[in-house]
Structures are given as structure tokens and as C-alpha cells.
Amino acid sequence: MTLLEKVNSPQDVKKLNLAELETLAEEIRQAILNRDSKIGGHVGSNLAVVEATLALHYVFNSPLDKIVFDVSHQCYAHKLITGRQDGFLTDEGMKRISGYTNPKESEHDAFVVGHTSTSVSLACGLAKARDFRGEKHNVIALIGDGSLSGGEAFEGLDNAALLKSNMIIVVNDNEMSIAENVGGLYENLRLLRETKGKAECNFFKALGFEYFYIDNGNSLSDLIHTFSEVKDTNKPTVIHMHTLKGKGYSLAEEYKETWHWRMPFNLSDGSLTFQDNKETYNSITVNYLIKKVEQDKKVVVINAATPGAVGLVPDKRRQLGQNFVDVGIAEEHAVAFSSGLAKGGCKPVYMVLSSFIQRAYDQLSQDLAINNNSAVILVFGGGISAADVTHLGCFDIPLISNIPNVVYLAPTTKEEYLAMLDWGIEQNSHPVVIRVPKEVVSAKLDKVDYGNLNVYQTVEKGRQVALLGLGSFFGLAQKVAEQLKQKGVHPSVINPRYITGIDEILLNELKKEHQLVVTLEDGILDGGFGEKIARFYGKDAMKVLTFGGKKEFTDRVALEELYQRYHLTAERIVQDILETLKTC
Amino acid sequence: MTLLEKVNSPQDVKKLNLAELETLAEEIRQAILNRDSKIGGHVGSNLAVVEATLALHYVFNSPLDKIVFDVSHQCYAHKLITGRQDGFLTDEGMKRISGYTNPKESEHDAFVVGHTSTSVSLACGLAKARDFRGEKHNVIALIGDGSLSGGEAFEGLDNAALLKSNMIIVVNDNEMSIAENVGGLYENLRLLRETKGKAECNFFKALGFEYFYIDNGNSLSDLIHTFSEVKDTNKPTVIHMHTLKGKGYSLAEEYKETWHWRMPFNLSDGSLTFQDNKETYNSITVNYLIKKVEQDKKVVVINAATPGAVGLVPDKRRQLGQNFVDVGIAEEHAVAFSSGLAKGGCKPVYMVLSSFIQRAYDQLSQDLAINNNSAVILVFGGGISAADVTHLGCFDIPLISNIPNVVYLAPTTKEEYLAMLDWGIEQNSHPVVIRVPKEVVSAKLDKVDYGNLNVYQTVEKGRQVALLGLGSFFGLAQKVAEQLKQKGVHPSVINPRYITGIDEILLNELKKEHQLVVTLEDGILDGGFGEKIARFYGKDAMKVLTFGGKKEFTDRVALEELYQRYHLTAERIVQDILETLKTC
């Protein structure tokens, strides 16, 4: 029987001696690698904090003491010793247990967390609530060095430093964000590492924290020593521990960015179990931008600490040279910086995931849209998906499309995407956001002036029913059209192109020979595209059917299931259309 | 002829000697006070930086050198010496010239800015663009100490510190935000002031900046000396200058918070020209909360650096005692902190302006809504208004109402507001956001369980037409009903109560005896409430007319004009309804 099998709660960890804890750490690493290699997941960050997690649970008393994991990229060891081993050992368990903290899974998890830089503020709330309630436990935030650059983390630190009570912030300094760290702060962390925490110029002390440094953040004894020292402190305290990202798996130690998060792989040599060589919009975009930068040095490609997720792998970044700027985890800065670049005469292209652009709404509105500067933003990963609840891509249409001045485009094919991207970069009149489609579809494209805003394209002229297939759902509209034809209905098929505007001429024209307009969008319906169409026809006889997602947080629900739930299959849509037609 | 009359551009400033500059500073102060006393505006912050502004323009060469004013609370002196004196001297000019920077007003303004903490990121973009274009000018951000606590400012600083070129950040330390500064950072600024900038523990140096300290930030000679020293530097540099908020107007020097922003006042004694003693939702809310806190020490009132704007004046804050927490300019933290407080068993109530809640979309979604913690957020100032373009309150419905799990309520009367507020505080099931109405209207209220979500209230049962008057527009719906009755139409009048949900039973019921549903909402239509109703009836014969604002940025456009433009008068609405009825 392994030690891990005997550990069902943090109480069990406390019974072990140092040698046993070392053994347990090794078993935990194997379990982490087992899960990661089978279903993919965060590797390097989780391997780095195995000892720290054991030491935290050895010294503190969870769930009485609260441990808040920032972004949850480092919660696997915590899960393994809080009764969730099967999430790392069995197929069924891996499906059930998520890669993020979740109070529904365990009383040892305080929050559902998946975005970065939130732990200090959340923990600050717990600490203040404890004080108001006259309770006495410890509140601990575990935050990676990379997450410190996010504005929310700073706001949290600035407030946490003022607490006159217990608040322990463990900074896990593994010298990496997902990619390299970016920011002046990291020069200070380096100085602190080099001086073993002794440098007078200390970011955390400047904010008012008590400060402790642990040079070997993978040494159980050192960790236990320092954690014991600060336990029950009545001052806001930072423990800065230096860990090794990827610790214990040599490939992850060496290639830190590749192994931050990894698809399923073969444990022996690290090779991916399944490699998909299909053309993706990541490579299409990056290859286009590399050429563009060669032709025009004013084109600047920007990303906020997730370059790999949008195809900006190290080799491609090198090709972009100084025309690539990673701003670190700093999405707000990325948008404002892009606005400044555009104002200064450059042509910024900010590449961002749908789930993360929502970290910069105010900057989109104030810094960019009110100023009407011509930055380009490419939103990747938009759409209904089987993702974790914290990484859904179905909210960007309501978020972005209701901001004045912004032109939000929904290309349907590779050719259309590249034409829109090129137009966006070359024009000087609007902030342009493009929702990068999912599957690469190719089709001949006529030359279009996208500056002639809000002109929809009638791809197929029919009657009775008009299908408006937005962006990545245009293909679905075409499928629906095919099936309708078999039922004797010959619909018009329309590519709206613009999420942000209504083609009034075309929509009015449709009234002549159509009784039903159907909208299809890859996102939630609330606040989205279909509702704008429904409003437009509100006082007309035209009926409107809107297809899209429901306003709900889903968590790793299979896409097929969601499509069934939302009637997003061609069959269900055809059925709904035929039923509605009976009433027209 | 005054000196000010001779100064039409920064070039003219450069011709003056020190004594003349001192005289000009005095004239500028009089002009600032003239505008503020006549039409209201920012007083203390503008008075503090008169000398600094003159010194900047004396040393640097705007518009070749770029000066970005954070939040623009300190841009009046700048406006006065860049050809916009009439904005401070004549009635017509005061209407035309805004209180914020705006490139449409002058080539010396780089951006439209009205939200805080943005200047460093925007300036960073200008600096990087300059470098890409091989240009050589200075880029300067002028940022107040209060604004430094905002996450975007930190993200900007963290990135600016990495530039290997010219970037000058002037920190205007007047020891105040709008109210007192909040945050560990301010202890460091105090230390730096006390040591005349010599303390080794230095927030800015920790980030990697060259650092200069000016002890008397109202001394023209000192300012000119230091600005000259850093001019054309090739390193990211912070100039930390200590200024006196309210300088030159003794009341503003003494009562810094009252005089940060002031309604029109009598110059002689500072008394307000016009005092409105009507009951407001500010006082209703604060008085309710003071009582609530007396009864329940778990109720915590939170605000992010704009306490006065929501009625949390110093006296009321004292009454709330430690149950009031000002987190400083840190809206993201405010939301996450509230979520943590709720999770920890407290009852947080975050009071925020509509224009500023948009700084925390990701926190609303991730930290709060996904976790479904029962914090209460009160959104003040929501609605179509004559405000500056950067402070519009018409976007919060699309922003908030499309986030799952959130219950966004729209009370119509004082009694309903207080009942909803009390329910929100006492329940433990949902994040509850309440859109605080504008005008105080009183009406008898039946006991309602608001936990029975999305049940609309039929206030008047009629037929043919149903009016859904949301929140502050419920009164408008009642007016429309009155006028319709005179035309022989007897409409139903409905209070939807919930912005976030559809009462399907009621809406289906309406189909029996109504042909037209009319929605009225005090915000933009795009992504809003009316569109949800239009979508609901999309496949029915029911016609839907939606009334609300257009998706556009308006800048100090009179409310009456906007109401005309959007058909938001009872007369226009009745006319539109009668016309539509003809087609039903």
C-alpha cells in the first residue's frame, strides 16, 4: 500500500515524519504525471509546489485554516491529499475531478478559481470576514510569481498589507509565468533571490508586508520551518519561496513553457499521445503576421502571457522579433497599450483568448473605443465549448458587441478571416475586433471593403426562411439549408459578417419574400446577435428564431450534449423551423 | 492685459521668466476657481498641479513631446495654456470645453480620459510607437497618487519599467485620493516623503525605475530643475513630487475631500450656490445601512474611493465605523473582496457607480458569479444622462444582466428598493445587484419574496398593449398609460423587477389579450432588457416595441435632447404605440 493511499485528509499528512513526507511527495508527483499524461493538464506548476503543499497542510489546519490557490494551476497536490486521489488515478475520477479548485468537490477548496491574480483579494475577504466574526484561523493565499503582474493581484496586495491581522501570502517563485515573466517586478524578485531575500529594495516590504524568503522552496524541512514560524501571525506576511518549475520530471524542468500545460503525452519520452496536424487558425494567424511584420515594421503583435495558446510558440516569437510584445499577465494594460500604440501611429494586433478579454472591458470601452483608436484585437477560442467553467468562450459577444464604436467581425472562412484581418490592420478609423473562427474552412472570396460597415452577404438567395449564420456557425446554417431543401423549403443563407451592426436595408428587403428569420450564433443568446435581430423585427410580422447558448455556467459538459440542450444540431434547427413555419 | 491672455500655446509659456510664471500660476488659479464656482468641477487636484503643469510645458515641447493626464482631474491648467482659456472664462466656453482631456479639443491632448489609472499604459503605447517609428520625443504620464492603487496603473508601471527608452512618469503626490488614500503603497509614499525620497525601500525603484523626488511640488524652480534634468532621458523614470491639494484656496487646502470635486459655489465663502435638499437614494441607502450595521455586525459596506458620490460622507463613514471599508481605487479588488467576505459568512454591500462597475467585469463573472457568493452590489447613477462621455451610466444592463447566476434587480420606488436591498443582504443564494433608481418615488408595497426569481408584477391589468417599465422608467410607463387611456387604449402596466430574467408565465399570459408589448429601459437597447423580450416573442404574433438608448458614446448632451433622440418622452412613445397598433 502506498502512502498516498493512506492519506485521505490533511490530518493524515500531519502524522507522517519527514522521510515519509518525502516519499509521499514522490508518489504525488507520479500521480500528477499520471493524470497529466492521460488527459492533459498543468504539469510544471503543479510539480513545483508538491513540497510546499505538503508543508502547508502539515503546518496549518485546513479547512479551519483557509488556503486559496491562485488560478489553481498548482492545486493538484492539494487535491491529492484532500480525498481526491481518484481524480489522478482512475479514468472515471479524472473525468469527475476538475483541474481547478472547487468547493463542490471539497471543503478544503474555498473558491472556484481559473483566472489568475485573484487569490489575494479573495483571501483578503476571508480574512476580513474572520475578523468581523471574531474567529482566529489563518488565511493563506498561494500565488505564482507570474500572477503577480495582474492588476487585481496588486489591488489585493495593496489592501492586504493594511490588514491588522493574520494574512499569509505565499509567493511561489518558479521564475516563470506560462512563458517568461514580463515586468519590472521580476527584476526585483531576481534581486531578492540573488540576495537570499536580504536586499533592502523589496517590492513586498515597500507595500508594508512582513517578508520571509525560502531559498529552497522544494525543501520540506525549510518550508515547514518557515510556515511554522509565521503560523498565527497577526500581521500581513509574504513568504517568498523559490521553487523549481517542473521539479521531478526532467523534461518539464528543462522546457518550462512547453510543460506548463501539456496535452496527453507518453511518460517515457514526453511525446504527445495524439498529434493533430490539421491547419489551425493559430498557425494561419501567426504566419500571416510574420509576413506582415516583414513588410511593415509598424505592425506590433501583442499578447498577455498566453502566447502558446494562440500559436505564438518560441520559434514564431523569435521570427517576430521586437515586433512581438508579451506584456505578461496584464490584459488591461494590453488593451490600453494597444490603444496608445495605434494613437502613436503603429498597427497593434492584440491576440487574446475569449475567456481573458473579459478582464479588460473597461479598457475596451474607455481606453480604446471612446478614443476610437484603430487597434486590432483577435479573439481566439470564442464559442460554446466543453471547457472548464472558468474558461468558457461564450460570453464575448455580449461583452464586446454592445460597446459603441467597436467593429466586431465574425469571419466564416480562412480567406474571409485574412481579408478582415488585413483590412483591420490597414484601416485607421475603428477599433476592430475579430472573432477567430474554430474550424478552418476554405472558400473563394470576392473583394470586399469592410469599411463599408454592416453590410451582410447574401450567399444564397431563397424565400420564406432566411438563415443568418454568424461566424463559426455559418457552416451550420449551410447544413440547415441543405436539409430544408430536402423538405421543400428553399431558404436564403446570409453571412452577417458584423456582430456589432444591423444591415437594415437587407433586413427590410427580407420582409418581401420571407416570413421567418433564423439566427445562429456560437455564444449565449442573452445580449447577443440574435436578440438584435429580434428587436429589429419587433414591430413587423416577421418571425424570428434565435439559436445559441443559454445564459449559464457549464463545467466540462460535452459539446454534443450542449448542442442537444441548445437545439444546435441541423436536425433540431430544421425541426424548429418547420414547426414555426406552420404558424407563419 | 493679463499674462494668461497672452498665453495661447506652450510656446508662450517658454518666453516667461520665473516671476512671470508665478504670476501666471496665480491667474490660472483664479481661472480654475472661476470655472469651478460657476459650473462645478474638480478643484483640489487642479489647484495642486498648476506649477507642475507650467513647468512641464516650460521644459518639454508639447505636442511633439506627449503628456498624458491620468483621469484628467488635473488637466485644467494644461487646458488654460493650450488655447482653451474661454473654457474657464466665458459661459459659452465652459459649455464647449470639457473637464477632461480630449484630442478633438486640442493637439496637446493625447486621449479622451476620465477613468483613473490608465495614463501609464496609454503613455507606454505612445513610447513604444515612438521607438518603432524611430522618433525621439519625450513621453510623460502625469498620475495622481490615488490612481496608483488601480490595477491597470500597476500593470502599466510593471511594463513601463522594462522600456529601454524615454518614459517619464510624474507622480503627483498630494496625499489624497478623492478621499483618504488606501493601501500599503501609501505607507511607502509617506516614507519617501519623510526621507525626502532617500529611503532605500522604494516601490518605484523596486520596479526598476530611475527615481527623483521633489519635496516642494509647488515650487516652479524646483520643478523646472528636475524636469530639465530628466528631459530626453533614455530610461523609464519616476518623478515623485509632493504637492498641496487645493493649493491657493484655503478651504480646498483644509477640506480636501469636500473640495476634490465641487458643485457650483460662492467664491467668497465656498457655500454651494444651489443646495437641493430633496431626499436622495444616497441618503436613503446610507441611513438604511447604518441601521442595518447596528443590528448586524456582519454587514460590511464597501466602496472604492468614491464614497462621497454615493452618500458615504465622512460623518456617515464614522457612523459605520469599521463596518465601512474603502478599498481605494481598486474596483476589481472590491468585487473579489466582497465575494470573499460573503464566502466567509459576512454580508457585504459594495456601493459603486455604474460607470465604474465596468472596471470589474471579470471579477463579477469569475470571482463572484461562478462562485455564486451572496454579495450585494448597489449600482448608482445607472441610466441615460447628460454626463461626460467617460462617465455614462447606460452600459451596465448589457454588462451585468448577461452574466449567469447574477440577480440584477430594478426597483421602481423607495419602498421596493429597500425591500430588495434587505432581501439581498439576508439571502444566501445569489450574487444580487441592484440598480439604484434616480428619482425618489414612494408607493405602498406588498410583501414580496424576491427569492422567487423573475416574477414580474402586474400593476395595472389592461388589454391590447402591455407596458414593461423597467426600474427608473416605470414612472414613464405610467405616464404613457395615462395618455394612452385618453386615446381609448387601456394598457397593462408591468413592473418587471428583474433585469436578469424572463417571467415566461406572465409573458405567455399576455398573449391572450395583448397584441403589443412595449419595453422601456434607462440604458442602451443593445444587449439590454427589451431585446430579451423581443427574442422571447420572436416566433409569436406578439409585436414588441423597445424603448431605450442608442448604442453610442454621447458627451454632455442634454438629457432632454437625448430623450427626444431616443423617443423617450411619453408623447413620442404613445405616438409610436398608436402607429404600431394600426398594424396589429
Side-chain angles (χ1 to χ4, degrees):
Chain A
M1 193 178 196
T2 63
L3 272 173
L4 188 53
E5 285 170 290
K6 287 191 239 168
V7 171
N8 291 306
S9 87
Q11 291 308 314
D12 298 327
V13 173
K14 293 178 195 300
K15 297 173 194 154
L16 305 179
N17 63 34
L18 201 59
E20 288 168 326
L21 286 172
E22 300 280 6
T23 306
L24 180 59
E26 183 49 36
E27 291 175 16
I28 287 174
R29 286 209 160 81
Q30 294 315 315
I32 290 172
L33 287 167
N34 184 57
R35 176 179 167 118
D36 282 337
S37 64
K38 293 260 171 55
I39 65 165
H42 288 96
V43 183
S45 48
N46 278 305
L47 292 175
V49 296
V50 174
E51 288 82 9
T53 308
L54 290 178
L56 281 173
H57 281 295
Y58 185 85
V59 172
F60 297 99
N61 297 307
S62 176
L64 183 66
D65 292 330
K66 312 292 177 200
I67 309 173
V68 183
F69 288 84
D70 202 89
V71 70
S72 320
H73 288 173
Q74 0 69 335
C75 69
Y76 287 10
H78 166 77
K79 291 200 165 197
L80 276 157
I81 56 176
T82 50
R84 287 170 278 182
Q85 291 104 325
D86 58 341
F88 297 78
L89 304 174
T90 70
D91 286 351
E92 192 281 324
M94 289 186 207
K95 267 188 216 151
R96 193 166 47 76
I97 300 298
S98 86
Y100 299 90
T101 57
N102 190 333
K104 285 189 190 145
E105 283 184 9
S106 168
E107 60 177 350
H108 298 282
D109 293 6
F111 300 96
V112 181
V113 177
H115 280 195
T116 71
S117 313
T118 72
S119 61
V120 181
S121 285
L122 291 169
C124 213
L126 292 180
K128 196 87 185 176
R130 171 202 61 203
D131 298 346
F132 275 117
R133 293 163 60 97
E135 297 167 347
K136 284 285 167 209
H137 53 266
N138 291 274
V139 174
I140 300 129
L142 175 61
I143 183 167
D145 50 339
S147 299
L148 286 177
S149 61
E152 187 180 357
F154 177 75
E155 293 184 1
L157 286 170
D158 197 36
N159 274 278
L162 294 184
L163 290 171
K164 299 199 185 321
S165 58
N166 174 286
M167 169 90 187
I168 299 165
I169 297 162
V170 179
V171 173
N172 169 33
D173 183 357
N174 60 29
E175 300 182 54
M176 286 289 282
S177 183
I178 296 176
E180 300 83 9
N181 278 316
V182 177
L185 168 62
Y186 298 104
E187 296 306 310
N188 190 241
L189 293 191
R190 181 208 308 270
L191 174 71
L192 291 170
R193 289 194 304 271
E194 286 172 358
T195 60
K196 311 291 182 206
K198 295 210 163 59
E200 266 307 304
C201 188
N202 179 316
F203 174 76
F204 304 107
K205 282 190 184 173
L207 291 176
F209 289 97
E210 290 271 300
Y211 173 86
F212 293 80
Y213 179 74
I214 305 176
D215 192 43
N216 184 351
N218 295 101
S219 157
L220 272 162
S221 57
D222 290 1
L223 290 159
I224 289 170
H225 173 80
T226 305
F227 291 162
S228 303
E229 201 173 339
V230 303
K231 188 181 177 183
D232 300 326
T233 178
N234 57 8
K235 287 183 198 144
T237 301
V238 163
I239 298 173
H240 176 192
M241 63 177 191
H242 184 200
T243 62
L244 178 61
K245 191 159 185 174
K247 167 91 177 170
Y249 190 62
S250 60
L251 283 163
E253 289 183 18
E254 188 166 359
Y255 305 102
K256 292 189 166 65
E257 180 176 341
T258 308
W259 286 88
H260 172 82
W261 190 92
R262 186 80 170 158
M263 300 276 284
F265 58 93
N266 299 302
L267 261 175
S268 54
D269 64 355
S271 60
L272 292 179
T273 312
F274 171 75
Q275 193 127 23
D276 190 347
N277 289 318
K278 271 201 295 190
E279 190 180 29
T280 67
Y281 277 105
N282 282 0
S283 58
I284 289 169
T285 307
V286 172
N287 291 336
Y288 163 87
L289 288 172
I290 288 171
K291 271 199 199 144
K292 194 78 185 169
V293 163
E294 278 169 17
Q295 296 157 11
D296 184 349
K297 289 295 171 200
K298 295 196 297 300
V299 174
V300 186
V301 179
I302 298 145
N303 181 258
T306 57
V310 294
L312 290 162
V313 292
D315 183 44
K316 302 288 183 182
R317 303 204 293 262
R318 271 189 295 276
Q319 289 183 58
L320 287 167
Q322 64 165 0
N323 288 63
F324 169 71
V325 181
D326 183 345
V327 299
I329 294 177
E331 294 84 358
E332 302 181 86
H333 173 74
V335 172
F337 177 63
S338 298
S339 181
L341 277 167
K343 175 74 183 177
C346 281
K347 298 172 179 175
V349 181
Y350 172 36
M351 297 169 74
V352 59
L353 298 180
S354 168
S355 179
F356 299 147
I357 189 62
Q358 66 187 45
R359 293 168 67 87
Y361 176 88
D362 198 48
Q363 290 69 36
L364 287 172
S365 175
Q366 298 272 326
D367 295 323
L368 187 59
I370 287 178
N371 284 285
N372 218 17
N373 288 332
S374 56
V376 174
I377 299 178
L378 304 180
V379 174
F380 289 78
I384 298 161
S385 78
D388 288 273
V389 63
T390 48
H391 289 75
L392 299 171
C394 54
F395 300 112
D396 58 84
I397 293 180
L399 189 88
I400 297 168
S401 72
N402 298 314
I403 302 174
N405 291 359
V406 171
V407 177
Y408 197 12
L409 296 168
T412 60
T413 63
K414 172 180 166 178
E415 291 72 17
E416 192 176 28
Y417 169 60
L418 289 173
M420 286 174 169
L421 175 50
D422 207 71
W423 170 77
I425 292 174
E426 295 301 339
Q427 59 83 42
N428 294 307
S429 309
H430 316 281
V432 170
V433 189
I434 305 178
R435 199 172 203 236
V436 182
K438 289 184 200 165
E439 269 181 72
V440 180
V441 179
S442 210
K444 200 176 152 296
L445 184 77
D446 295 329
K447 199 159 169 52
V448 181
D449 175 9
Y450 295 103
N452 197 0
L453 295 185
N454 304 329
V455 176
Y456 297 179
Q457 179 194 15
T458 302
V459 177
E460 211 176 314
K461 209 166 154 38
R463 46 189 301 284
Q464 212 174 352
V465 176
L467 303 167
L468 272 60
L470 190 72
S472 49
F473 271 9
F474 183 75
L476 181 59
Q478 287 179 308
K479 264 191 215 157
V480 169
E482 286 316 307
Q483 295 195 14
L484 279 176
K485 282 179 206 165
Q486 290 162 19
K487 307 277 183 182
V489 178
H490 291 263
S492 292
V493 182
I494 292 162
N495 170 9
R497 293 175 176 154
Y498 298 84
I499 313 180
T500 28
I502 293 288
D503 185 339
E504 296 199 9
I505 295 171
L506 180 140
L507 292 184
N508 277 322
E509 189 70 25
L510 288 180
K511 292 181 199 166
K512 288 185 195 157
E513 296 197 291
H514 300 76
Q515 288 80 53
L516 174 62
V517 167
V518 177
T519 66
L520 304 169
E521 68 196 291
D522 198 0
I524 64 164
L525 286 168
D526 294 72
F529 177 74
E531 290 191 343
K532 287 178 183 43
I533 304 296
R535 167 160 68 94
F536 178 84
Y537 286 120
K539 61 178 190 294
D540 295 312
M542 181 75 84
K543 299 206 166 171
V544 179
L545 272 182
T546 53
F547 290 90
K550 197 180 150 196
K551 181 176 73 168
E552 63 177 347
F553 289 120
T554 56
D555 192 17
R556 295 165 296 142
V557 179
L559 195 56
E560 299 68 36
E561 189 181 329
L562 291 176
Y563 281 179
Q564 285 296 334
R565 189 186 295 178
Y566 303 149
H567 285 210
L568 287 173
T569 62
E571 292 69 25
R572 293 300 294 262
I573 294 168
V574 167
Q575 200 179 324
D576 290 353
I577 288 173
L578 294 176
E579 261 172 45
T580 307
L581 274 183
K582 285 181 203 157
T583 71
C584 286
Chain B
M1 194 178 196
T2 63
L3 272 174
L4 188 52
E5 284 170 287
K6 286 191 238 166
V7 172
N8 291 307
S9 87
Q11 291 309 315
D12 298 327
V13 173
K14 293 178 195 298
K15 296 173 196 154
L16 305 178
N17 62 34
L18 201 60
E20 289 168 326
L21 287 172
E22 300 281 7
T23 307
L24 180 60
E26 183 49 35
E27 292 175 14
I28 287 175
R29 286 208 160 82
Q30 294 315 315
I32 291 173
L33 286 167
N34 184 58
R35 175 178 168 120
D36 282 338
S37 64
K38 294 260 170 55
I39 64 165
H42 288 96
V43 183
S45 47
N46 279 306
L47 292 176
V49 295
V50 174
E51 288 82 7
T53 307
L54 290 178
L56 281 173
H57 281 295
Y58 185 86
V59 173
F60 296 99
N61 297 308
S62 176
L64 182 66
D65 292 330
K66 313 291 178 199
I67 308 173
V68 182
F69 289 83
D70 202 89
V71 70
S72 321
H73 288 174
Q74 1 68 336
C75 69
Y76 287 9
H78 166 78
K79 291 200 165 196
L80 276 157
I81 55 175
T82 51
R84 287 170 278 182
Q85 291 103 325
D86 58 340
F88 298 78
L89 304 174
T90 70
D91 287 351
E92 192 281 324
M94 289 185 206
K95 268 189 216 151
R96 194 166 47 78
I97 299 298
S98 86
Y100 300 89
T101 57
N102 190 330
K104 284 188 189 147
E105 282 184 9
S106 167
E107 60 177 350
H108 298 281
D109 293 6
F111 300 96
V112 180
V113 176
H115 280 196
T116 72
S117 312
T118 71
S119 61
V120 181
S121 285
L122 291 170
C124 214
L126 292 181
K128 197 87 183 173
R130 171 202 60 204
D131 297 346
F132 275 117
R133 294 163 60 99
E135 297 167 347
K136 285 286 165 208
H137 54 265
N138 291 273
V139 174
I140 301 129
L142 176 62
I143 183 167
D145 50 339
S147 300
L148 286 177
S149 60
E152 187 180 357
F154 178 74
E155 292 184 1
L157 286 170
D158 197 35
N159 273 278
L162 294 184
L163 289 172
K164 302 201 183 319
S165 58
N166 174 285
M167 169 90 187
I168 298 165
I169 298 163
V170 180
V171 173
N172 169 33
D173 183 356
N174 59 30
E175 301 182 54
M176 286 290 282
S177 184
I178 295 175
E180 300 84 9
N181 278 316
V182 177
L185 168 62
Y186 299 103
E187 296 307 309
N188 190 242
L189 293 192
R190 182 207 308 270
L191 175 70
L192 291 171
R193 289 194 304 269
E194 287 172 357
T195 59
K196 311 292 182 205
K198 296 212 162 55
E200 265 308 305
C201 188
N202 178 318
F203 174 77
F204 303 106
K205 283 190 185 173
L207 291 177
F209 288 96
E210 289 271 299
Y211 173 85
F212 292 80
Y213 179 75
I214 303 176
D215 192 44
N216 184 351
N218 295 102
S219 157
L220 272 163
S221 56
D222 291 1
L223 290 159
I224 289 171
H225 173 80
T226 306
F227 291 163
S228 303
E229 201 174 340
V230 302
K231 188 181 176 183
D232 300 326
T233 178
N234 57 8
K235 287 182 199 144
T237 301
V238 164
I239 298 172
H240 175 192
M241 63 176 191
H242 184 200
T243 61
L244 178 61
K245 191 160 184 173
K247 168 91 176 170
Y249 190 62
S250 61
L251 285 161
E253 289 183 19
E254 189 166 359
Y255 306 103
K256 292 190 168 64
E257 180 175 340
T258 309
W259 287 88
H260 171 81
W261 190 92
R262 187 80 170 159
M263 300 275 284
F265 58 94
N266 299 302
L267 261 174
S268 54
D269 65 356
S271 60
L272 292 179
T273 311
F274 172 75
Q275 194 129 22
D276 190 348
N277 289 317
K278 272 201 295 190
E279 191 180 28
T280 67
Y281 277 104
N282 281 0
S283 59
I284 290 169
T285 307
V286 172
N287 292 335
Y288 162 88
L289 287 172
I290 287 170
K291 271 198 197 144
K292 193 80 186 171
V293 163
E294 278 169 16
Q295 297 157 10
D296 185 349
K297 288 295 171 201
K298 295 197 296 299
V299 174
V300 186
V301 180
I302 298 145
N303 181 257
T306 57
V310 294
L312 290 162
V313 292
D315 183 46
K316 302 288 183 182
R317 303 204 294 261
R318 271 188 296 275
Q319 289 183 59
L320 288 167
Q322 64 165 1
N323 288 65
F324 169 71
V325 181
D326 183 345
V327 299
I329 294 177
E331 293 86 358
E332 302 181 86
H333 172 74
V335 173
F337 177 63
S338 298
S339 180
L341 277 167
K343 174 74 184 177
C346 280
K347 298 172 178 174
V349 181
Y350 172 37
M351 297 168 74
V352 60
L353 298 180
S354 168
S355 179
F356 299 148
I357 189 61
Q358 66 188 44
R359 292 169 67 88
Y361 176 89
D362 198 48
Q363 291 69 36
L364 287 172
S365 175
Q366 298 272 325
D367 295 323
L368 186 59
I370 287 177
N371 283 286
N372 217 18
N373 288 333
S374 56
V376 174
I377 299 177
L378 304 180
V379 174
F380 289 77
I384 297 162
S385 78
D388 288 271
V389 62
T390 48
H391 289 74
L392 300 171
C394 53
F395 301 112
D396 57 84
I397 293 180
L399 189 89
I400 296 169
S401 72
N402 298 314
I403 301 175
N405 291 0
V406 171
V407 177
Y408 196 13
L409 295 167
T412 60
T413 64
K414 173 179 166 179
E415 291 72 17
E416 191 176 29
Y417 169 61
L418 289 172
M420 286 175 170
L421 175 51
D422 208 71
W423 169 77
I425 291 174
E426 295 301 339
Q427 58 84 41
N428 295 307
S429 309
H430 316 279
V432 170
V433 188
I434 305 178
R435 199 174 204 236
V436 183
K438 289 184 201 166
E439 269 182 73
V440 181
V441 179
S442 209
K444 200 176 153 295
L445 184 77
D446 294 330
K447 201 161 165 52
V448 181
D449 175 10
Y450 295 102
N452 197 359
L453 295 185
N454 304 329
V455 176
Y456 296 178
Q457 180 194 14
T458 302
V459 177
E460 210 177 317
K461 211 167 150 39
R463 47 188 300 284
Q464 212 175 350
V465 176
L467 302 167
L468 273 60
L470 190 73
S472 50
F473 271 9
F474 182 75
L476 182 59
Q478 287 180 308
K479 264 191 218 158
V480 169
E482 285 317 306
Q483 296 195 14
L484 279 175
K485 280 178 207 166
Q486 290 163 19
K487 307 276 183 183
V489 179
H490 291 264
S492 292
V493 182
I494 292 161
N495 169 9
R497 292 174 175 155
Y498 298 85
I499 312 179
T500 28
I502 292 289
D503 185 340
E504 295 199 9
I505 295 171
L506 179 139
L507 292 184
N508 278 321
E509 189 70 24
L510 287 181
K511 290 181 200 166
K512 286 185 196 158
E513 295 198 290
H514 300 76
Q515 289 80 52
L516 174 63
V517 167
V518 178
T519 66
L520 305 169
E521 68 196 290
D522 198 0
I524 63 164
L525 286 167
D526 295 71
F529 177 74
E531 291 191 343
K532 287 179 183 43
I533 304 297
R535 166 159 69 95
F536 177 85
Y537 286 120
K539 61 180 190 295
D540 295 312
M542 181 74 85
K543 299 207 168 171
V544 179
L545 272 182
T546 53
F547 290 90
K550 198 180 150 196
K551 181 176 73 167
E552 63 178 347
F553 290 121
T554 56
D555 191 18
R556 295 165 297 143
V557 179
L559 195 54
E560 299 68 36
E561 188 180 331
L562 291 176
Y563 282 178
Q564 286 296 335
R565 189 186 295 178
Y566 303 149
H567 285 210
L568 286 173
T569 63
E571 292 69 25
R572 293 301 294 261
I573 294 168
V574 167
Q575 199 179 325
D576 289 352
I577 288 173
L578 293 176
E579 260 172 46
T580 308
L581 274 183
K582 286 182 203 157
T583 71
C584 285

